[in-house]
């Protein structure tokens, strides 16, 4: 039941309002002054506070500010017998939902409280969603126990509380955007926008328009003003993936933002100012790109104030089982009941060689599950399924033939098509191993 806190020093008015709200189905608690109101606020946790402006030990306008500090999700409606514009303006500035006059606006109270309750509920839902998003992109969501990964996570955690630019390096698919999101959602900018752009996905001209925006008429097809991604990310974080692919000419504009926080939109004459944190990522060796004349040296040193290298799975093979189990849980339905399956220990002697990408293992899990029978896949435990995924990732000479048949039977998969698919996947892995020099 929705709860309303009535704050008024006149007992008759409090009782009248309480009776009226109770008839509408609200639960009501009461307070006669500011001190009692704060106490009731802490004990009762109301959704809405209906507060008189003139109270024995304070002013309702100031109390509204205190209420919002103590309980930000509570909406405050101020009532006064003598309304005036300055008080009304200050009340709204202090976070009040509305400011109404007693007597004249009596017929507005119930609809107003109804809207205030809906907003209070929305505030709670938003808070829960923000908390859930924060947990989803926290450093705890980065899976792995290897030393090299923990070192990378530790460095990222240290830099997240600062506001300096960060350069993430590592092979494609090692989780650079996951790290960038974790850094953002653990920083003081976490309530603001996180905007990601892949610099390799656009041509030079289109990337400039996307990043910095343009004015209407600045080029053919520019029919109206457009905000750039830097403007969208103002006060938040922008993640520039594949920064090594950015055209040399655009790098000067990016350098200008890092130095002054300003840039000029296409077709504009006045600078646009932004306050944005830049996290960049690359799978290239930027030092080599500098020597080849493809990347600005001054930009490199501006971006790499703090550098974090992300290891590939080749460098942390001990984490493959952890990742496989997690990916299996993400694609398998809730198990219908206990299932007897082979533990990891039975396959411990089998060596695992994998060319290195978290993204590849995720795809393998989803692909394998999609090929299994819906009728029996409900009874496959994540442990059993993840061992099967590991089996798929093994090169042909290392994988014992009985293991293929075991999982085909376990998952009730079509034997002929599955053997063919497994063989193709293994041949693909062998090719990647050869390319990787393993």
């Amino acid at each position: 039941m929705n709860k309303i806190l009535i704050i008024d020093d006149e007992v008759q008015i409090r009782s009248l309002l309480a009776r009226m709200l109770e008839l509408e189905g609200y639960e009501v608690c009461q307070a006669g002054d500011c001190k009692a109101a704060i106490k009731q606020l802490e004990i009762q946790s109301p959704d809405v506070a209906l507060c008189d402006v003139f109270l024995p030990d304070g002013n309702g306008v100031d109390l509204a500010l205190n209420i919002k500090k103590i309980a930000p999700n509570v909406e405050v409606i101020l009532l006064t017998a003598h309304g005036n514009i300055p008080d009304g303006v200050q009340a709204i500035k202090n976070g009040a939902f509305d400011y109404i006059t007693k007597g004249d606006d009596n017929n507005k109270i119930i609809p107003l409280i109804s809207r205030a309750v809906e907003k209070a509920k929305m505030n709670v839902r938003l808070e829960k969603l923000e908390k859930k998003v924060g947990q989803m992109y926290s450093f705890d969501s980065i899976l792995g126990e290897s030393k090299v990964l923990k070192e990378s996570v530790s460095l990222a955690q240290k830099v997240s509380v600062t506001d300096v630019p960060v350069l993430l390096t590592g092979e494609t698919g090692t989780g650079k955007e996951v790290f960038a999101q974790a850094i953002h959602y653990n920083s003081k900018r976490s309530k603001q926008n996180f905007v990601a752009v892949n610099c390799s996905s656009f041509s030079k001209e289109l990337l400039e328009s996307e990043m910095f925006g343009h004015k209407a008429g600045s080029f053919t097809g520019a029919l109206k003003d457009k905000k750039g991604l830097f403007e969208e990310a103002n006060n938040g974080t922008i993640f520039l993936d594949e920064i090594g692919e950015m055209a040399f000419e655009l790098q000067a504009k990016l350098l200008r933002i890092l130095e002054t926080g300003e840039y000029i939109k296409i077709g504009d004459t006045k600078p646009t100012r932004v306050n944005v944190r830049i996290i960049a990522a690359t799978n290239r060796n930027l030092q080599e790109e500098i020597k080849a004349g493809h990347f600005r040296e001054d930009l490199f040193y501006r971006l790499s104030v703090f550098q974090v290298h992300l290891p590939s799975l080749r460098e942390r093979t001990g984490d493959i089982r952890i990742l496989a189990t997690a990916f299996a849980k993400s694609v398998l339905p809730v198990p219908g009941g206990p299932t007897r399956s082979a533990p990891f220990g039975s396959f411990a002697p089998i060596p695992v060689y994998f060319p290195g990408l978290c993204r590849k293992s995720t795809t393998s899990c989803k692909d394998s599950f999609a090929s299994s029978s819906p009728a029996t896949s409900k009874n496959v435990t994540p442990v059993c399924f993840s061992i099967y995924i590991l089996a798929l990732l093994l090169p042909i000479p290392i994988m014992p033939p009985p293991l293929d048949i075991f999982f085909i039977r376990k998952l009730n998969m079509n034997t002929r098509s599955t053997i063919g698919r497994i063989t193709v996947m293994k041949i693909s892995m062998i090719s990647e191993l050869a390319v990787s020099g393993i």
Side-chain angles (χ1 to χ4, degrees):
M1 185 182 290
N2 300 315
K3 190 177 291 186
I4 312 297
L5 171 61
I6 300 173
I7 309 166
D8 199 307
D9 58 328
E10 296 184 38
V11 179
Q12 289 183 341
I13 292 179
R14 284 207 314 267
S15 299
L16 178 63
L17 288 171
R19 179 63 179 159
M20 184 171 62
L21 292 173
E22 284 170 348
L23 289 172
E24 293 293 329
Y26 295 107
E27 184 180 345
V28 178
C29 51
Q30 302 178 32
D33 53 40
C34 295
K35 186 177 179 181
I38 296 299
K39 188 175 180 180
Q40 287 290 324
L41 187 71
E42 294 170 348
I43 296 172
Q44 300 290 344
S45 300
D47 299 296
V48 175
L50 194 60
C51 181
D52 188 18
V53 170
F54 298 103
L55 296 168
D57 57 347
N59 185 286
V61 176
D62 297 329
L63 180 60
L65 182 61
N66 292 334
I67 289 174
K68 296 300 284 186
K69 286 179 180 178
I70 297 169
N73 294 331
V74 175
E75 295 299 330
V76 181
I77 298 172
L78 288 171
L79 295 170
T80 180
H82 310 286
N84 62 78
I85 293 175
D87 275 354
V89 171
Q90 188 59 47
I92 301 302
K93 285 184 178 180
N94 287 357
F97 182 78
D98 209 337
Y99 179 93
I100 61 176
T101 306
K102 291 179 182 178
D104 295 342
D105 295 327
N106 284 348
N107 58 332
K108 297 181 181 178
I109 290 178
I110 298 302
L112 189 62
I113 288 177
S114 179
R115 293 199 302 272
V117 167
E118 285 302 314
K119 189 169 186 293
K121 286 182 177 179
M122 186 178 67
N123 293 339
V124 173
R125 288 196 297 269
L126 183 61
E127 186 178 47
K128 289 180 179 178
L129 182 60
E130 287 177 346
K131 187 177 180 181
K132 188 175 181 180
V133 169
Q135 291 172 344
M136 188 185 301
Y137 297 118
S138 69
F139 286 105
D140 293 335
S141 68
I142 299 174
L143 303 174
E145 297 295 331
S146 61
K147 183 179 178 182
V148 286
L149 180 67
K150 284 187 173 181
E151 287 174 354
S152 298
V153 171
S154 177
L155 287 172
Q157 285 176 321
K158 288 177 182 177
V159 76
S160 67
V161 297
T162 70
D163 212 26
V164 299
V166 182
L167 178 64
L168 303 174
T169 61
E171 297 179 24
T172 299
T174 50
K176 293 188 284 293
E177 186 164 352
V178 173
F179 267 75
Q181 289 171 330
I183 290 171
H184 169 73
Y185 285 104
N186 285 272
S187 72
K188 62 184 181 182
R189 298 176 182 264
S190 60
K191 301 290 184 182
Q192 305 299 327
N193 288 343
F194 174 86
V195 177
V197 56
N198 190 315
C199 299
S200 65
S201 300
F202 302 94
S203 64
K204 171 188 169 295
E205 293 76 15
L206 190 54
L207 181 60
E208 183 176 10
S209 175
E210 289 295 318
M211 288 178 60
F212 305 111
H214 61 253
K215 300 293 286 184
S218 57
F219 55 85
T220 303
L223 302 178
K224 58 182 181 180
D225 291 355
K226 178 184 176 180
K227 277 186 176 183
L229 295 177
F230 271 96
E231 201 168 352
E232 293 289 350
N234 192 29
N235 296 317
T237 302
I238 189 166
F239 173 56
L240 303 177
D241 199 8
E242 305 297 351
I243 189 71
E245 308 290 337
M246 182 180 284
F248 196 82
E249 295 81 0
L250 291 185
Q251 293 174 24
K253 263 194 168 182
L254 181 57
L255 180 64
R256 176 76 176 170
I257 292 176
L258 284 163
E259 289 177 342
T260 66
E262 294 181 345
Y263 65 92
I264 297 177
K265 295 181 180 181
I266 299 173
D268 203 355
T269 56
K270 298 178 180 178
T272 300
R273 188 164 187 82
V274 291
N275 174 18
V276 63
R277 182 183 196 172
I278 296 176
I279 302 176
T282 182
N283 61 353
R284 294 191 176 194
N285 185 330
L286 293 185
Q287 297 281 16
E288 295 297 325
E289 295 296 311
I290 291 169
K291 291 178 183 178
H294 299 152
F295 202 83
R296 294 180 63 108
E297 186 174 14
D298 48 1
L299 177 59
F300 170 75
Y301 288 114
R302 284 283 187 178
L303 288 172
S304 60
V305 173
F306 201 98
Q307 192 167 331
V308 181
H309 176 74
L310 308 189
S312 68
L313 287 183
R314 281 196 310 278
E315 301 169 73
R316 53 186 188 107
T317 54
D319 289 339
I320 294 177
R321 284 177 169 82
I322 297 172
L323 292 168
T325 301
F327 296 152
K329 286 179 179 178
S330 71
V331 295
L332 281 172
V334 177
T339 303
R340 295 179 63 185
S341 59
F344 277 134
S346 304
F347 299 92
I350 302 174
V352 177
Y353 299 97
F354 186 53
L357 309 180
C358 297
R359 190 178 297 142
K360 173 73 75 176
S361 56
T362 310
T363 305
S364 297
C365 280
K366 292 180 179 178
D367 176 60
S368 302
F369 177 66
S371 303
S372 64
S373 167
T376 58
S377 60
K378 293 179 182 177
N379 295 322
V380 180
T381 64
V383 172
C384 170
F385 183 60
S386 57
I387 298 173
Y388 169 66
I389 298 306
L390 291 174
L392 291 179
L393 303 181
L394 295 173
I396 291 173
I398 299 172
M399 173 116 167
L403 200 56
D404 280 351
I405 305 302
F406 171 80
F407 282 106
I408 290 167
R409 289 173 181 169
K410 190 69 181 175
L411 297 177
N412 194 25
M413 303 168 80
N414 180 279
T415 306
R416 182 175 298 176
S417 64
T418 304
I419 289 176
R421 189 175 60 80
I422 290 176
T423 303
V424 169
M425 288 186 70
K426 285 192 224 170
I427 290 172
S428 174
M429 287 294 177
I430 290 292
S431 300
E432 293 189 34
L433 289 167
V435 171
S436 302
I438 297 177

